[in-house]
Amino acid sequence: ALWTAGFLAFPLAGLAGTAVVGRVDSPGAALIGGAVAGLGIGLGQTLAGRGRLDVRRWVPATGIGMGLGLLLGAVVVGYGTSLPDLALMGALTGLVLGPAQALALPRGTRLRWAWAAALPPLWALGWTTTTLGGIAVDEQFTVFGAYGAITFSALSGLLLLRLLPERPAAGSPPAPAPVGARA
């Protein structure tokens, strides 16, 4: 539930990206605006993750992945804002962002590449939901709005619950290292 509440990071990070670059209507705006928004989203996700994501790894991975992903997606669709354009842009953003974040997931994460595989359709769904919600997507935002963010956060949160290693209870001794693991 807390991960879903982290959806608030999306519109706030989007405002930051837009404040820095304006519309996503050029390669530079896509790269820089995407990176700024990604840093904000990554920070919000680490806060919502309640210590399960390492801020030193997750935030930079999200900023870099989103900057490069938005650059790829926006250029491919020619900065278009139709529903098919934004769905494709979202999928391409997720295609780059997913592996970046998968590499930043904590040690012991089960099937970390499932995260990478899930992000393209989830980001496409985020843009689709925002567009169908009547948001003025023709303003070329850096990230989808609250409708898409709630949808993305709820679904990705369910996936993260399945993938992340269990947290030990407070006061319990740490789990032993796997046989053959280095110290």
Side-chain angles (χ1 to χ4, degrees):
L2 187 58
W3 180 264
T4 301
F7 87 90
L8 292 171
F10 284 78
L12 294 174
L15 288 172
T18 298
V20 171
V21 300
R23 293 171 169 265
V24 176
D25 59 2
S26 69
L31 178 64
I32 295 167
V36 168
L39 291 171
I41 290 167
L43 181 60
Q45 289 176 327
T46 58
L47 293 173
R50 296 180 19 210
R52 295 182 81 187
L53 299 170
D54 183 348
V55 69
R56 298 165 300 173
R57 294 172 47 89
W58 191 262
V59 173
T62 306
I64 292 166
M66 188 167 161
L68 292 173
L70 185 58
L71 172 63
L72 173 63
V75 167
V76 165
V77 302
Y79 312 99
T81 58
S82 69
L83 179 57
D85 285 341
L86 290 174
L88 178 57
M89 183 179 76
L92 293 172
T93 300
L95 188 67
V96 177
L97 178 59
Q101 285 185 329
L103 289 171
L105 287 168
R107 198 179 312 192
T109 299
R110 298 177 289 273
L111 303 170
R112 76 178 53 243
W113 294 108
W115 183 260
L119 258 53
L122 288 175
W123 273 78
L125 182 61
W127 275 110
T128 299
T129 305
T130 294
T131 304
L132 294 176
I135 305 304
V137 294
D138 58 322
E139 293 183 30
Q140 296 171 301
F141 300 119
T142 55
V143 68
F144 42 80
Y147 294 147
I150 290 170
T151 304
F152 172 85
S153 296
L155 295 174
S156 65
L158 291 173
L159 178 60
L160 231 95
L161 280 174
R162 302 286 304 163
L163 300 179
L164 287 177
E166 295 296 322
R167 289 175 52 171
S172 65
V179 175
R182 292 184 182 171

mmCIF file with all atom_site columns, all heavy atoms in Angstrom, residues 48-68:
data_model
loop_
_atom_site.group_PDB
_atom_site.id
_atom_site.type_symbol
_atom_site.label_atom_id
_atom_site.label_alt_id
_atom_site.label_comp_id
_atom_site.label_asym_id
_atom_site.label_entity_id
_atom_site.label_seq_id
_atom_site.pdbx_PDB_ins_code
_atom_site.Cartn_x
_atom_site.Cartn_y
_atom_site.Cartn_z
_atom_site.occupancy
_atom_site.B_iso_or_equiv
_atom_site.pdbx_formal_charge
_atom_site.auth_seq_id
_atom_site.auth_comp_id
_atom_site.auth_asym_id
_atom_site.auth_atom_id
_atom_site.pdbx_PDB_model_num
ATOM 1   N N   . ALA A 1 48 ? 9.051  5.296  -0.520  1.00 0.00 ? 48 ALA A N   1
ATOM 2   C CA  . ALA A 1 48 ? 7.885  4.409  -0.438  1.00 0.00 ? 48 ALA A CA  1
ATOM 3   C C   . ALA A 1 48 ? 8.305  2.961  -0.183  1.00 0.00 ? 48 ALA A C   1
ATOM 4   O O   . ALA A 1 48 ? 7.528  2.181  0.357   1.00 0.00 ? 48 ALA A O   1
ATOM 5   C CB  . ALA A 1 48 ? 7.060  4.496  -1.720  1.00 0.00 ? 48 ALA A CB  1
ATOM 6   N N   . GLY A 1 49 ? 9.526  2.606  -0.580  1.00 0.00 ? 49 GLY A N   1
ATOM 7   C CA  . GLY A 1 49 ? 10.022 1.248  -0.385  1.00 0.00 ? 49 GLY A CA  1
ATOM 8   C C   . GLY A 1 49 ? 10.458 0.947  1.035   1.00 0.00 ? 49 GLY A C   1
ATOM 9   O O   . GLY A 1 49 ? 10.871 -0.175 1.326   1.00 0.00 ? 49 GLY A O   1
ATOM 10  N N   . ARG A 1 50 ? 10.405 1.929  1.904   1.00 0.00 ? 50 ARG A N   1
ATOM 11  C CA  . ARG A 1 50 ? 10.711 1.759  3.330   1.00 0.00 ? 50 ARG A CA  1
ATOM 12  C C   . ARG A 1 50 ? 12.021 1.006  3.580   1.00 0.00 ? 50 ARG A C   1
ATOM 13  O O   . ARG A 1 50 ? 12.083 0.050  4.332   1.00 0.00 ? 50 ARG A O   1
ATOM 14  C CB  . ARG A 1 50 ? 9.561  1.057  4.042   1.00 0.00 ? 50 ARG A CB  1
ATOM 15  C CG  . ARG A 1 50 ? 8.302  1.867  4.020   1.00 0.00 ? 50 ARG A CG  1
ATOM 16  C CD  . ARG A 1 50 ? 7.139  1.232  4.710   1.00 0.00 ? 50 ARG A CD  1
ATOM 17  N NE  . ARG A 1 50 ? 7.485  0.184  5.631   1.00 0.00 ? 50 ARG A NE  1
ATOM 18  C CZ  . ARG A 1 50 ? 6.714  -0.846 5.908   1.00 0.00 ? 50 ARG A CZ  1
ATOM 19  N NH1 . ARG A 1 50 ? 5.540  -0.955 5.337   1.00 0.00 ? 50 ARG A NH1 1
ATOM 20  N NH2 . ARG A 1 50 ? 7.085  -1.772 6.761   1.00 0.00 ? 50 ARG A NH2 1
ATOM 21  N N   . GLY A 1 51 ? 13.078 1.473  2.948   1.00 0.00 ? 51 GLY A N   1
ATOM 22  C CA  . GLY A 1 51 ? 14.396 0.916  3.202   1.00 0.00 ? 51 GLY A CA  1
ATOM 23  C C   . GLY A 1 51 ? 14.733 -0.336 2.424   1.00 0.00 ? 51 GLY A C   1
ATOM 24  O O   . GLY A 1 51 ? 15.817 -0.882 2.600   1.00 0.00 ? 51 GLY A O   1
ATOM 25  N N   . ARG A 1 52 ? 13.838 -0.781 1.572   1.00 0.00 ? 52 ARG A N   1
ATOM 26  C CA  . ARG A 1 52 ? 14.121 -2.012 0.818   1.00 0.00 ? 52 ARG A CA  1
ATOM 27  C C   . ARG A 1 52 ? 14.889 -1.740 -0.461  1.00 0.00 ? 52 ARG A C   1
ATOM 28  O O   . ARG A 1 52 ? 15.397 -2.669 -1.085  1.00 0.00 ? 52 ARG A O   1
ATOM 29  C CB  . ARG A 1 52 ? 12.812 -2.746 0.522   1.00 0.00 ? 52 ARG A CB  1
ATOM 30  C CG  . ARG A 1 52 ? 12.169 -3.212 1.855   1.00 0.00 ? 52 ARG A CG  1
ATOM 31  C CD  . ARG A 1 52 ? 10.925 -3.961 1.650   1.00 0.00 ? 52 ARG A CD  1
ATOM 32  N NE  . ARG A 1 52 ? 11.260 -5.341 1.295   1.00 0.00 ? 52 ARG A NE  1
ATOM 33  C CZ  . ARG A 1 52 ? 10.355 -6.230 0.918   1.00 0.00 ? 52 ARG A CZ  1
ATOM 34  N NH1 . ARG A 1 52 ? 9.090  -5.893 0.853   1.00 0.00 ? 52 ARG A NH1 1
ATOM 35  N NH2 . ARG A 1 52 ? 10.709 -7.455 0.622   1.00 0.00 ? 52 ARG A NH2 1
ATOM 36  N N   . LEU A 1 53 ? 14.956 -0.479 -0.872  1.00 0.00 ? 53 LEU A N   1
ATOM 37  C CA  . LEU A 1 53 ? 15.724 -0.097 -2.047  1.00 0.00 ? 53 LEU A CA  1
ATOM 38  C C   . LEU A 1 53 ? 16.848 0.832  -1.601  1.00 0.00 ? 53 LEU A C   1
ATOM 39  O O   . LEU A 1 53 ? 16.622 1.750  -0.820  1.00 0.00 ? 53 LEU A O   1
ATOM 40  C CB  . LEU A 1 53 ? 14.830 0.629  -3.069  1.00 0.00 ? 53 LEU A CB  1
ATOM 41  C CG  . LEU A 1 53 ? 13.656 -0.170 -3.608  1.00 0.00 ? 53 LEU A CG  1
ATOM 42  C CD1 . LEU A 1 53 ? 12.728 0.722  -4.413  1.00 0.00 ? 53 LEU A CD1 1
ATOM 43  C CD2 . LEU A 1 53 ? 14.145 -1.340 -4.452  1.00 0.00 ? 53 LEU A CD2 1
ATOM 44  N N   . ASP A 1 54 ? 18.049 0.609  -2.106  1.00 0.00 ? 54 ASP A N   1
ATOM 45  C CA  . ASP A 1 54 ? 19.208 1.420  -1.748  1.00 0.00 ? 54 ASP A CA  1
ATOM 46  C C   . ASP A 1 54 ? 19.162 2.722  -2.548  1.00 0.00 ? 54 ASP A C   1
ATOM 47  O O   . ASP A 1 54 ? 19.291 2.714  -3.777  1.00 0.00 ? 54 ASP A O   1
ATOM 48  C CB  . ASP A 1 54 ? 20.487 0.645  -2.048  1.00 0.00 ? 54 ASP A CB  1
ATOM 49  C CG  . ASP A 1 54 ? 21.753 1.379  -1.643  1.00 0.00 ? 54 ASP A CG  1
ATOM 50  O OD1 . ASP A 1 54 ? 21.694 2.592  -1.333  1.00 0.00 ? 54 ASP A OD1 1
ATOM 51  O OD2 . ASP A 1 54 ? 22.817 0.734  -1.645  1.00 0.00 ? 54 ASP A OD2 1
ATOM 52  N N   . VAL A 1 55 ? 18.981 3.833  -1.853  1.00 0.00 ? 55 VAL A N   1
ATOM 53  C CA  . VAL A 1 55 ? 18.866 5.134  -2.499  1.00 0.00 ? 55 VAL A CA  1
ATOM 54  C C   . VAL A 1 55 ? 20.093 5.436  -3.362  1.00 0.00 ? 55 VAL A C   1
ATOM 55  O O   . VAL A 1 55 ? 19.979 6.070  -4.413  1.00 0.00 ? 55 VAL A O   1
ATOM 56  C CB  . VAL A 1 55 ? 18.600 6.254  -1.454  1.00 0.00 ? 55 VAL A CB  1
ATOM 57  C CG1 . VAL A 1 55 ? 19.814 6.492  -0.575  1.00 0.00 ? 55 VAL A CG1 1
ATOM 58  C CG2 . VAL A 1 55 ? 18.154 7.534  -2.115  1.00 0.00 ? 55 VAL A CG2 1
ATOM 59  N N   . ARG A 1 56 ? 21.263 4.964  -2.960  1.00 0.00 ? 56 ARG A N   1
ATOM 60  C CA  . ARG A 1 56 ? 22.502 5.227  -3.715  1.00 0.00 ? 56 ARG A CA  1
ATOM 61  C C   . ARG A 1 56 ? 22.532 4.503  -5.048  1.00 0.00 ? 56 ARG A C   1
ATOM 62  O O   . ARG A 1 56 ? 23.272 4.907  -5.946  1.00 0.00 ? 56 ARG A O   1
ATOM 63  C CB  . ARG A 1 56 ? 23.720 4.828  -2.883  1.00 0.00 ? 56 ARG A CB  1
ATOM 64  C CG  . ARG A 1 56 ? 23.852 5.622  -1.580  1.00 0.00 ? 56 ARG A CG  1
ATOM 65  C CD  . ARG A 1 56 ? 24.810 4.966  -0.641  1.00 0.00 ? 56 ARG A CD  1
ATOM 66  N NE  . ARG A 1 56 ? 24.295 3.621  -0.337  1.00 0.00 ? 56 ARG A NE  1
ATOM 67  C CZ  . ARG A 1 56 ? 24.950 2.713  0.346   1.00 0.00 ? 56 ARG A CZ  1
ATOM 68  N NH1 . ARG A 1 56 ? 26.157 2.966  0.792   1.00 0.00 ? 56 ARG A NH1 1
ATOM 69  N NH2 . ARG A 1 56 ? 24.416 1.533  0.584   1.00 0.00 ? 56 ARG A NH2 1
ATOM 70  N N   . ARG A 1 57 ? 21.773 3.453  -5.175  1.00 0.00 ? 57 ARG A N   1
ATOM 71  C CA  . ARG A 1 57 ? 21.726 2.701  -6.440  1.00 0.00 ? 57 ARG A CA  1
ATOM 72  C C   . ARG A 1 57 ? 20.451 2.996  -7.220  1.00 0.00 ? 57 ARG A C   1
ATOM 73  O O   . ARG A 1 57 ? 20.474 3.159  -8.426  1.00 0.00 ? 57 ARG A O   1
ATOM 74  C CB  . ARG A 1 57 ? 21.835 1.196  -6.150  1.00 0.00 ? 57 ARG A CB  1
ATOM 75  C CG  . ARG A 1 57 ? 23.180 0.800  -5.577  1.00 0.00 ? 57 ARG A CG  1
ATOM 76  C CD  . ARG A 1 57 ? 23.221 -0.650 -5.110  1.00 0.00 ? 57 ARG A CD  1
ATOM 77  N NE  . ARG A 1 57 ? 22.679 -1.616 -6.034  1.00 0.00 ? 57 ARG A NE  1
ATOM 78  C CZ  . ARG A 1 57 ? 23.362 -2.235 -6.996  1.00 0.00 ? 57 ARG A CZ  1
ATOM 79  N NH1 . ARG A 1 57 ? 24.629 -1.984 -7.143  1.00 0.00 ? 57 ARG A NH1 1
ATOM 80  N NH2 . ARG A 1 57 ? 22.774 -3.116 -7.768  1.00 0.00 ? 57 ARG A NH2 1
ATOM 81  N N   . TRP A 1 58 ? 19.313 3.029  -6.508  1.00 0.00 ? 58 TRP A N   1
ATOM 82  C CA  . TRP A 1 58 ? 18.011 3.135  -7.168  1.00 0.00 ? 58 TRP A CA  1
ATOM 83  C C   . TRP A 1 58 ? 17.797 4.508  -7.817  1.00 0.00 ? 58 TRP A C   1
ATOM 84  O O   . TRP A 1 58 ? 17.335 4.602  -8.949  1.00 0.00 ? 58 TRP A O   1
ATOM 85  C CB  . TRP A 1 58 ? 16.897 2.835  -6.169  1.00 0.00 ? 58 TRP A CB  1
ATOM 86  C CG  . TRP A 1 58 ? 15.556 2.672  -6.797  1.00 0.00 ? 58 TRP A CG  1
ATOM 87  C CD1 . TRP A 1 58 ? 14.562 3.614  -6.891  1.00 0.00 ? 58 TRP A CD1 1
ATOM 88  C CD2 . TRP A 1 58 ? 15.057 1.506  -7.455  1.00 0.00 ? 58 TRP A CD2 1
ATOM 89  N NE1 . TRP A 1 58 ? 13.477 3.098  -7.544  1.00 0.00 ? 58 TRP A NE1 1
ATOM 90  C CE2 . TRP A 1 58 ? 13.762 1.793  -7.906  1.00 0.00 ? 58 TRP A CE2 1
ATOM 91  C CE3 . TRP A 1 58 ? 15.582 0.243  -7.698  1.00 0.00 ? 58 TRP A CE3 1
ATOM 92  C CZ2 . TRP A 1 58 ? 12.976 0.876  -8.586  1.00 0.00 ? 58 TRP A CZ2 1
ATOM 93  C CZ3 . TRP A 1 58 ? 14.802 -0.671 -8.376  1.00 0.00 ? 58 TRP A CZ3 1
ATOM 94  C CH2 . TRP A 1 58 ? 13.511 -0.352 -8.817  1.00 0.00 ? 58 TRP A CH2 1
ATOM 95  N N   . VAL A 1 59 ? 18.137 5.570  -7.104  1.00 0.00 ? 59 VAL A N   1
ATOM 96  C CA  . VAL A 1 59 ? 17.889 6.924  -7.627  1.00 0.00 ? 59 VAL A CA  1
ATOM 97  C C   . VAL A 1 59 ? 18.708 7.190  -8.888  1.00 0.00 ? 59 VAL A C   1
ATOM 98  O O   . VAL A 1 59 ? 18.147 7.605  -9.909  1.00 0.00 ? 59 VAL A O   1
ATOM 99  C CB  . VAL A 1 59 ? 18.100 7.996  -6.539  1.00 0.00 ? 59 VAL A CB  1
ATOM 100 C CG1 . VAL A 1 59 ? 18.019 9.400  -7.123  1.00 0.00 ? 59 VAL A CG1 1
ATOM 101 C CG2 . VAL A 1 59 ? 17.063 7.830  -5.425  1.00 0.00 ? 59 VAL A CG2 1
ATOM 102 N N   . PRO A 1 60 ? 20.030 6.952  -8.882  1.00 0.00 ? 60 PRO A N   1
ATOM 103 C CA  . PRO A 1 60 ? 20.770 7.179  -10.126 1.00 0.00 ? 60 PRO A CA  1
ATOM 104 C C   . PRO A 1 60 ? 20.319 6.263  -11.273 1.00 0.00 ? 60 PRO A C   1
ATOM 105 O O   . PRO A 1 60 ? 20.237 6.697  -12.423 1.00 0.00 ? 60 PRO A O   1
ATOM 106 C CB  . PRO A 1 60 ? 22.229 6.901  -9.761  1.00 0.00 ? 60 PRO A CB  1
ATOM 107 C CG  . PRO A 1 60 ? 22.293 6.897  -8.290  1.00 0.00 ? 60 PRO A CG  1
ATOM 108 C CD  . PRO A 1 60 ? 20.917 6.610  -7.780  1.00 0.00 ? 60 PRO A CD  1
ATOM 109 N N   . ALA A 1 61 ? 20.029 5.004  -10.955 1.00 0.00 ? 61 ALA A N   1
ATOM 110 C CA  . ALA A 1 61 ? 19.568 4.078  -11.998 1.00 0.00 ? 61 ALA A CA  1
ATOM 111 C C   . ALA A 1 61 ? 18.261 4.572  -12.615 1.00 0.00 ? 61 ALA A C   1
ATOM 112 O O   . ALA A 1 61 ? 18.076 4.505  -13.838 1.00 0.00 ? 61 ALA A O   1
ATOM 113 C CB  . ALA A 1 61 ? 19.379 2.677  -11.425 1.00 0.00 ? 61 ALA A CB  1
ATOM 114 N N   . THR A 1 62 ? 17.372 5.096  -11.782 1.00 0.00 ? 62 THR A N   1
ATOM 115 C CA  . THR A 1 62 ? 16.090 5.596  -12.281 1.00 0.00 ? 62 THR A CA  1
ATOM 116 C C   . THR A 1 62 ? 16.289 6.865  -13.088 1.00 0.00 ? 62 THR A C   1
ATOM 117 O O   . THR A 1 62 ? 15.679 7.037  -14.157 1.00 0.00 ? 62 THR A O   1
ATOM 118 C CB  . THR A 1 62 ? 15.110 5.813  -11.113 1.00 0.00 ? 62 THR A CB  1
ATOM 119 O OG1 . THR A 1 62 ? 15.010 4.589  -10.366 1.00 0.00 ? 62 THR A OG1 1
ATOM 120 C CG2 . THR A 1 62 ? 13.724 6.210  -11.604 1.00 0.00 ? 62 THR A CG2 1
ATOM 121 N N   . GLY A 1 63 ? 17.142 7.764  -12.628 1.00 0.00 ? 63 GLY A N   1
ATOM 122 C CA  . GLY A 1 63 ? 17.406 8.996  -13.370 1.00 0.00 ? 63 GLY A CA  1
ATOM 123 C C   . GLY A 1 63 ? 18.035 8.725  -14.733 1.00 0.00 ? 63 GLY A C   1
ATOM 124 O O   . GLY A 1 63 ? 17.586 9.249  -15.757 1.00 0.00 ? 63 GLY A O   1
ATOM 125 N N   . ILE A 1 64 ? 19.058 7.889  -14.754 1.00 0.00 ? 64 ILE A N   1
ATOM 126 C CA  . ILE A 1 64 ? 19.733 7.572  -16.016 1.00 0.00 ? 64 ILE A CA  1
ATOM 127 C C   . ILE A 1 64 ? 18.810 6.777  -16.935 1.00 0.00 ? 64 ILE A C   1
ATOM 128 O O   . ILE A 1 64 ? 18.680 7.096  -18.125 1.00 0.00 ? 64 ILE A O   1
ATOM 129 C CB  . ILE A 1 64 ? 21.045 6.799  -15.738 1.00 0.00 ? 64 ILE A CB  1
ATOM 130 C CG1 . ILE A 1 64 ? 22.050 7.715  -15.046 1.00 0.00 ? 64 ILE A CG1 1
ATOM 131 C CG2 . ILE A 1 64 ? 21.623 6.223  -17.037 1.00 0.00 ? 64 ILE A CG2 1
ATOM 132 C CD1 . ILE A 1 64 ? 23.238 6.983  -14.434 1.00 0.00 ? 64 ILE A CD1 1
ATOM 133 N N   . GLY A 1 65 ? 18.168 5.759  -16.382 1.00 0.00 ? 65 GLY A N   1
ATOM 134 C CA  . GLY A 1 65 ? 17.281 4.925  -17.197 1.00 0.00 ? 65 GLY A CA  1
ATOM 135 C C   . GLY A 1 65 ? 16.122 5.705  -17.785 1.00 0.00 ? 65 GLY A C   1
ATOM 136 O O   . GLY A 1 65 ? 15.770 5.539  -18.955 1.00 0.00 ? 65 GLY A O   1
ATOM 137 N N   . MET A 1 66 ? 15.536 6.586  -16.980 1.00 0.00 ? 66 MET A N   1
ATOM 138 C CA  . MET A 1 66 ? 14.404 7.345  -17.490 1.00 0.00 ? 66 MET A CA  1
ATOM 139 C C   . MET A 1 66 ? 14.847 8.408  -18.489 1.00 0.00 ? 66 MET A C   1
ATOM 140 O O   . MET A 1 66 ? 14.169 8.648  -19.489 1.00 0.00 ? 66 MET A O   1
ATOM 141 C CB  . MET A 1 66 ? 13.610 7.976  -16.348 1.00 0.00 ? 66 MET A CB  1
ATOM 142 C CG  . MET A 1 66 ? 12.336 8.590  -16.884 1.00 0.00 ? 66 MET A CG  1
ATOM 143 S SD  . MET A 1 66 ? 11.217 8.993  -15.591 1.00 0.00 ? 66 MET A SD  1
ATOM 144 C CE  . MET A 1 66 ? 10.200 10.139 -16.496 1.00 0.00 ? 66 MET A CE  1
ATOM 145 N N   . GLY A 1 67 ? 15.972 9.051  -18.236 1.00 0.00 ? 67 GLY A N   1
ATOM 146 C CA  . GLY A 1 67 ? 16.474 10.037 -19.194 1.00 0.00 ? 67 GLY A CA  1
ATOM 147 C C   . GLY A 1 67 ? 16.739 9.417  -20.556 1.00 0.00 ? 67 GLY A C   1
ATOM 148 O O   . GLY A 1 67 ? 16.275 9.911  -21.585 1.00 0.00 ? 67 GLY A O   1
ATOM 149 N N   . LEU A 1 68 ? 17.463 8.301  -20.566 1.00 0.00 ? 68 LEU A N   1
ATOM 150 C CA  . LEU A 1 68 ? 17.772 7.638  -21.836 1.00 0.00 ? 68 LEU A CA  1
ATOM 151 C C   . LEU A 1 68 ? 16.527 7.007  -22.452 1.00 0.00 ? 68 LEU A C   1
ATOM 152 O O   . LEU A 1 68 ? 16.351 7.030  -23.676 1.00 0.00 ? 68 LEU A O   1
ATOM 153 C CB  . LEU A 1 68 ? 18.857 6.578  -21.616 1.00 0.00 ? 68 LEU A CB  1
ATOM 154 C CG  . LEU A 1 68 ? 20.241 7.122  -21.247 1.00 0.00 ? 68 LEU A CG  1
ATOM 155 C CD1 . LEU A 1 68 ? 21.188 5.986  -20.877 1.00 0.00 ? 68 LEU A CD1 1
ATOM 156 C CD2 . LEU A 1 68 ? 20.812 7.979  -22.367 1.00 0.00 ? 68 LEU A CD2 1
#
